[in-house]
Amino acid sequence: MQLGMIGLGRMGADMVRRLTKGAQQCIVYDVQAAAVDRLKQEGIAGASSLEDFVAQLTKPRAVWLMVPAAVVDATLDKLVPLLEPGDVVIDGGNSYYHDDIRRGQQLGARQLHYVDVGTSGGVAGRERGYCLMIGGEAEVVKRLEPIFSTLAPGTGTASATPGRTAGASTAEQGFLHCGPQGAGHFVKMVHNGIEYGLMAAYAEGLNVLRHADAGRQAREADAETSPLRRPELYQYDLNLADIAEVWRRGSVIGSWLLDLIAGSLAGDNELKGYAGRVSDSGEGRWTVAAAIDEGVPTPVLSAALFARFSSRGEADFANRVLSAMRHDFGGHAEKPAAPDGGKQ
């Protein structure tokens, strides 16, 4: 099947490579001509403009957008006038599902089809395959199935689920039509919210282990420092790289995320190459907002989201307010920050 890909960044280019290896035909375009040239050197057809891109696609066209959520509308403004009734636009990025519903209505008024695909797999997806969560019209999704099945990991990448009937759903292959427009990105939104929580749990647990030698660290004895009542209980010098490695083998908390952690710690047990500023691209916020609308408690996912805000210094002013209040009501002097988060 032929597919046009707009956006050849971290994931878009590798998705094209996986599709091409799987005998699908791709036409590619990116605002950065160098990105197109790299794939053309690999024998993949590229376009120099959107007009050239659309002209190379066989009707009815299928165009996949793999661009940041912030530029999807601007891209559609330029692309849609070039398309014709029956063509399909697929948004495979991390768009807000509210926007999918709006875009679906707007494109539908022009007799164009819109499909939203939550795509998970990251930079490893080229080899491992991509988990795809899909929203859109059933017949259109069915038409695109050769694309989805090529991008997805396939049935052989996970063991069969006990009690589940084999072949009952394409979910076993790694792609799923979740529902109408917006459903794919809604499911991916919650997927990423869960990801925030899992990542935070690993990070916090490892931090507790890292400070298990607190009883051997010098602590000031003053009114501003809470004493460690039983320092003899915290005398461990733990090898985090080895702990992550042993957890990978038979532990109930084993996962691909843990595999990644183990790899990072193996190269740098102190992770000195990272500053600890953690970004969020929106999905965690949208998950918490949906939970509020639904009246569903999500304390873990909310805390993980707020921790990311703190990592970027967004709690600094609040902390200054706390320090000022302590000074004003109790005369408490502000202590300087300990180096390396208190780890000597």
Side-chain angles (χ1 to χ4, degrees):
M1 182 175 181
Q2 187 193 65
L3 179 74
M5 178 69 76
I6 297 177
L8 305 175
R10 286 196 305 267
M11 291 180 66
D14 277 347
M15 291 171 72
V16 167
R17 293 182 176 106
R18 184 173 176 87
L19 286 166
T20 302
K21 184 179 180 180
Q24 308 299 331
Q25 181 192 10
C26 293
I27 311 294
V28 302
Y29 173 73
D30 193 284
V31 292
Q32 301 293 331
V36 177
D37 290 339
R38 281 193 291 271
L39 288 179
K40 287 175 70 175
Q41 291 171 10
E42 298 176 29
I44 297 167
S48 58
S49 66
L50 276 179
E51 290 79 6
D52 179 30
F53 172 78
V54 170
Q56 292 189 54
L57 292 172
T58 303
K59 303 175 187 179
R61 305 172 181 90
V63 179
W64 188 302
L65 305 184
M66 208 63 190
V67 299
V71 301
V72 171
D73 282 327
T75 303
L76 289 174
D77 286 344
K78 298 175 182 177
L79 173 66
V80 167
L82 305 175
L83 301 179
E84 301 177 52
D87 291 348
V88 181
V89 175
I90 307 154
D91 181 2
N94 280 329
S95 287
Y96 193 19
Y97 78 98
H98 289 194
D99 293 329
D100 292 319
I101 295 171
R102 169 180 57 81
R103 291 166 184 153
Q105 293 171 344
Q106 292 172 340
L107 269 64
R110 303 182 67 127
Q111 297 181 290
L112 300 172
H113 303 289
Y114 180 86
V115 175
D116 54 286
V117 180
T119 307
S120 182
V123 295
R126 178 180 175 183
E127 297 301 326
R128 289 168 51 99
Y130 301 89
C131 175
L132 306 174
M133 297 143 272
I134 307 162
E137 304 158 87
E139 62 275 15
V140 177
V141 173
K142 185 67 176 177
R143 188 202 314 171
L144 296 168
E145 198 163 291
I147 296 297
F148 300 141
S149 62
T150 303
L151 287 171
T155 56
T157 55
S159 59
T161 299
R164 182 180 176 88
T165 303
S169 166
T170 61
E172 298 167 16
Q173 300 176 51
F175 70 96
L176 179 66
H177 181 209
C178 300
Q181 289 164 346
H185 278 145
F186 186 89
V187 174
K188 178 56 161 49
M189 173 188 78
V190 177
H191 165 285
N192 281 26
I194 293 170
E195 179 185 299
Y196 284 25
L198 291 172
M199 294 172 70
Y202 281 124
E204 291 178 12
L206 287 167
N207 202 27
V208 173
L209 294 175
R210 184 174 181 271
H211 288 81
D213 64 346
R216 297 195 311 210
Q217 303 298 324
R219 298 172 73 92
E220 295 184 38
D222 57 39
E224 307 303 322
T225 305
S226 175
L228 182 61
R229 296 181 62 85
R230 299 188 63 185
E232 71 274 12
L233 299 180
Y234 301 94
Q235 297 287 324
Y236 304 115
D237 184 14
L238 302 175
N239 186 312
L240 299 188
D242 283 349
I243 290 171
E245 187 64 29
V246 76
W247 282 352
R248 293 181 62 224
R249 303 171 189 281
S251 165
V252 296
I253 63 168
S255 72
W256 184 42
L257 287 174
L258 183 58
D259 294 345
L260 298 177
I261 293 170
S264 295
L265 291 173
D268 178 6
N269 203 30
E270 292 294 319
L271 299 182
K272 293 178 180 178
Y274 297 91
R277 186 184 189 280
V278 188
S279 298
D280 75 287
S281 55
E283 298 84 12
R285 304 181 188 212
W286 304 334
T287 300
V288 172
I292 292 170
D293 287 344
E294 296 171 358
V296 175
T298 54
V300 172
L301 306 190
S302 301
L305 173 65
F306 293 142
R308 293 192 176 202
F309 296 168
S310 294
S311 79
R312 305 197 297 265
E314 301 300 340
D316 287 357
F317 182 73
N319 291 334
R320 291 199 294 272
V321 172
L322 290 172
S323 188
M325 286 190 289
R326 292 189 79 250
H327 177 269
D328 291 345
F329 73 66
H332 298 282
E334 186 175 68
K335 295 176 68 67
D340 198 16
K343 180 82 170 180
Q344 303 299 320

